[in-house]
Amino acid sequence: MESSYFETPNPQVLGVADQFRDAYDQLKIKAVPGAGLLLPLLHCGSIAIELYLKSLGSHDDYAPDSSGVGRIVHANPPSRTHDLVPLLEHIPAIVRKNLRDRFRKEADGVLNNHLHAIEGVFLWSRYPFSRETRQRDGQVKNVDSMLRFLATFSHETETRSYPRPQAM
């Protein structure tokens, strides 16, 4: 059973995003040149970024528990994609506007452009040997700054319920 409303940020998805951010932070401490930690570092960072965006657009689904009396709550992300820019469209309009406005003010840039600049880090860090994936200059620095921004924004966003869009 799906709810017609969803809570933003979704606490389940936010909690998992925080775990990947914490892993990123631990790897960053140990990621001295030659340590062989660049790919895991970028992978944890890219997953955290994706999950922070998904936390702002996920809704809960409810399933009966085994007793038939209670319910199990599952977070349902808006999309199964790893593409960052399209995830913005699944965030409630007012939250999306606040996110873009705050990014423009704090980072002096356009959020979509910065997300696009790190698009593909997830695949590149997982499949660096593949011809289809490639690293672009500045991705390491951009992953770190986007991760910090989204973590802060997600935790400072007042938790509210929003009507679930019909297109989901």
Side-chain angles (χ1 to χ4, degrees):
M1 175 172 72
E2 293 184 343
S3 171
S4 58
Y5 288 85
F6 64 103
E7 190 175 68
T8 295
N10 182 283
Q12 289 186 62
V13 181
L14 185 63
V16 176
D18 287 342
Q19 289 180 42
F20 278 97
R21 184 208 56 219
D22 292 345
Y24 173 90
D25 288 340
Q26 290 300 310
L27 287 167
K28 189 174 178 185
I29 291 168
K30 297 177 186 337
V32 296
L37 296 174
L38 177 63
L39 295 176
L41 173 76
L42 289 175
H43 200 65
C44 286
S46 67
I47 291 171
I49 288 168
E50 177 184 329
L51 289 172
Y52 281 122
L53 289 170
K54 286 183 176 180
S55 78
L56 297 171
S58 293
H59 63 278
D60 288 337
D61 286 336
Y62 303 93
D65 68 7
S66 59
S67 72
V69 177
R71 299 184 306 173
I72 300 171
V73 181
H74 299 278
N76 191 357
S79 174
R80 300 281 182 213
T81 185
H82 301 297
D83 297 331
L84 302 176
V85 176
L87 289 174
L88 289 174
E89 300 312 312
H90 295 282
I91 296 172
I94 187 66
V95 177
R96 187 173 58 241
K97 180 185 181 318
N98 291 342
L99 180 66
R100 286 180 169 144
D101 290 350
R102 184 162 166 186
F103 188 83
R104 189 175 303 112
K105 179 181 173 191
E106 291 181 13
D108 195 29
V110 178
L111 180 62
N112 287 43
N113 295 347
H114 285 262
L115 288 173
H116 182 71
I118 59 174
E119 198 78 72
V121 170
F122 173 82
L123 289 175
W124 175 75
S125 64
R126 190 169 178 185
Y127 305 107
F129 44 79
S130 174
R131 178 177 286 194
E132 288 79 32
T133 61
R134 62 182 172 83
Q135 181 188 16
R136 292 190 290 265
D137 292 337
Q139 286 181 324
V140 175
K141 181 181 76 170
N142 292 340
V143 165
D144 191 74
S145 60
M146 183 60 70
L147 175 56
R148 303 289 165 215
F149 171 78
L150 288 173
T152 301
F153 180 87
S154 298
H155 281 281
E156 290 178 356
T157 296
E158 180 183 347
T159 302
R160 290 188 46 202
S161 292
Y162 295 90
R164 191 166 149 240
Q166 297 302 317
M168 282 183 141

